[in-house]
Amino acid sequence: MRECLALAWRSRLPLAAALALVLARSLVFLWWEQPRFNSDQAIVGLMASHLAEGRAFPVFFYGQGYMLGVQAWLAAPVFLVLGPSVFALTLPLVAVNLAVAALLIVLLQRELGLGPWTALAASLFVVLAPPATAALLLEPNGGSVEPLLYVLLIWMLRRRPAALGLVLGLGVLHREFTIYGLAALLVLRAQERRPITKASLRHAATVAAWFAIAWIGVQGLRAVSSPFGPGTSVWDAATPDTHAHEVAARVCWAGPVLPARLWSLATRHLGLLFGTTPQSLGRLGIRSWAAGQGLPWLGTLFALALAAAVARGAWVGWRQPSSRRHVSFAAYLLLVGLASMGGYAAFSCERITAATMRYGLLGLLAGVAVAAWYLRLEPSKAARAAALAVLLAWGGVSARSHAQLLREYLFSPPPNGAREAVETLVADGFRYGRAPYWVAYRLTFLAGERFVLATDPPVRIRAYQRRPPEATGPVEWIRSSPCDGGRRLAEGFYRCPR
């Protein structure tokens, strides 16, 4: 830890640049409500509000038995100071993004011996992630950027079994993708062919024991939690299943369609994840008039540079076997990234699309690994300069996309229909109604629960299903499409008689 702090101080200028880039690519999603906010994120906000007010104790995502409520716990103290808002909900995730960027740059220096500016260049895929990926890294939807932090901590704590077990236990309970970090460590250990000793067995047993302590501790908290919001407990009927059961229900073996899914991963997912495929942000789920990401030639350049780096690095590594000892951290990141992308293709129950890209976010680390590995092994200064030029060109294209989006939101922002609908309903004295899932929780959070909306399944907060005594008159629906006899509240929101 002292060595990391010393490295951070010596590389303070590159670190400051990295943190500034993270803040810049986060600004639109932090400051404005409308770019991507939805009901899943609103549920985390409502969890944080209920926790801050002492009305409920959420351990897992409301209505589920998995995805530890870490994001709500982080947001709750911010809500106490700033009040509940999309800004306050996103602010802790910006801090986690900053921590990931700083740790990545420091570890690339400590473990691979890269210079601070070179480490920053190799980290650009995370530090300056393109808009669609940056939005995912800031989504308060239960678990987004945190697995990146967990896998970096797993590497740092690999020789401290108690701390490693705790991080693994909490990380896996928060987001199951954390397990890729443990898998990568095991593969590296097997590759090193180290003998099994009493010390190694004691290390493994300690990790397992502290993993179990973390797991049992969380289950103990679950016993006193509010799984469906205020006024609920685990003794209620139809409480969420166990963590293992919930995760298993979301695993589907691709089987015969695996080759097609891997092809889709290579030709579509990577282009969207790394921002090389030309695409309008509107088609990627971000409210935008005209901003986009990628360039027609960028994907080809990226693929050629990747192939050349892998081939050249393999050649240098074969010619200089001793150099392999210095790239273990890069191998770890690569294994985590490949496991993430492979797991997404082989075991996800959903199609590989922009809407499900969040399941493969750890794949960013594969790009960092290849860049850092090549820059560490390449003996030619000219070749290293060329590689850095490619990384900076990629970063320039990503920065251009963020600048387009920021300029749009500064001078001609898309309408915030949800906020307009909330203010109209509050002014009308509206207290209770019904709405589809993707409308109900979003508007209820933005309204600060000045009114609540019941919804059809999945029901996350049971108290909203009960009509409050002060709500009189017929129950109206708030819909996202026009209806007979209804009234338009704002773009995409209508008040309907039923």
Side-chain angles (χ1 to χ4, degrees), residues 111-114 323 326-327 371-379 384:
E111 303 293 339
L112 273 73
L114 297 182
S323 65
H326 306 294
V327 294
W373 175 61
Y374 177 79
L375 291 169
R376 174 65 178 82
L377 294 181
E378 178 56 69
R384 286 201 305 273

Side-chain angles (χ1 to χ4, degrees), residues 113-425:
L114 297 182
W117 290 106
T118 304
L120 170 57
S123 304
L124 281 177
F125 297 123
V126 172
V127 171
L128 194 53
T133 305
L136 293 173
L137 292 172
L138 289 163
E139 277 196 347
N141 61 355
S144 52
V145 66
E146 295 87 347
L148 275 79
L149 179 61
Y150 293 139
V151 298
L152 294 178
L153 291 176
I154 286 169
W155 175 266
M156 292 179 66
L157 299 172
R158 66 193 185 282
R159 296 189 179 93
R160 299 182 179 183
L164 175 59
L166 281 174
V167 169
L168 270 171
L170 295 175
V172 171
L173 284 167
H174 184 187
R175 207 65 171 115
E176 63 277 11
F177 307 133
T178 303
I179 202 68
Y180 296 143
L182 176 61
L185 282 184
L186 294 176
V187 169
L188 287 177
R189 195 187 192 289
Q191 186 271 332
E192 292 170 358
R193 298 180 181 178
R194 285 184 288 171
I196 298 175
T197 63
K198 288 183 179 179
S200 64
L201 290 174
R202 184 164 57 249
H203 183 281
T206 304
V207 172
W210 282 95
F211 182 95
I213 288 170
W215 194 284
I216 293 168
V218 169
Q219 300 310 314
L221 291 175
R222 183 173 181 264
V224 294
S225 69
S226 312
F228 287 94
T232 64
S233 73
V234 293
W235 305 111
D236 294 331
T239 52
D241 291 320
T242 65
H243 179 274
H245 185 275
E246 290 258 9
V247 172
R250 289 163 172 78
V251 173
C252 301
W253 169 240
V257 299
L258 182 58
R261 289 176 65 88
L262 289 172
W263 177 253
S264 179
L265 184 88
T267 59
R268 178 168 175 78
H269 171 70
L270 290 180
L272 296 178
L273 182 68
F274 288 94
T276 59
T277 301
Q279 188 69 272
S280 69
L281 297 185
R283 296 189 64 182
L284 296 176
I286 297 172
R287 286 184 64 82
S288 170
W289 297 116
Q293 65 179 40
L295 288 174
W297 50 266
L298 189 59
T300 301
L301 175 63
F302 188 77
L304 291 174
L306 177 65
V310 170
R312 174 65 174 167
W315 171 257
V316 172
W318 179 72
R319 293 289 300 273
Q320 302 175 12
S322 61
S323 65
R324 301 173 196 167
R325 295 194 299 270
H326 306 294
V327 294
S328 294
F329 180 57
Y332 172 77
L333 295 180
L334 181 62
L335 288 169
V336 170
L338 292 177
S340 174
M341 292 186 286
Y344 177 35
F347 299 109
S348 173
C349 296
E350 302 182 58
R351 294 174 56 225
I352 295 178
T353 66
T356 62
M357 199 166 69
R358 64 188 181 278
Y359 299 133
L361 275 180
L362 286 171
L364 288 171
L365 296 179
V368 175
V370 172
W373 175 61
Y374 177 79
L375 291 169
R376 174 65 178 82
L377 294 181
E378 178 56 69
S380 167
K381 291 183 179 179
R384 286 201 305 273
L388 289 170
V390 171
L391 290 171
L392 292 177
W394 177 91
V397 173
S398 182
R400 172 178 170 271
S401 300
H402 284 288
Q404 285 181 345
L405 185 63
L406 178 59
R407 183 170 60 249
E408 181 178 315
Y409 270 80
L410 285 173
F411 299 109
S412 57
N416 189 352
R419 173 58 64 186
E420 293 176 23
V422 164
E423 296 306 327
T424 301
L425 289 169

Side-chain angles (χ1 to χ4, degrees), residues 8 15 18-19 22 97-107 109 127 152:
L15 270 180
L19 300 184
V22 171
N97 275 263
L98 292 170
V100 167
L103 274 178
L104 198 52
I105 291 170
V106 168
L107 288 174
Q109 293 178 74
V127 171
L152 294 178

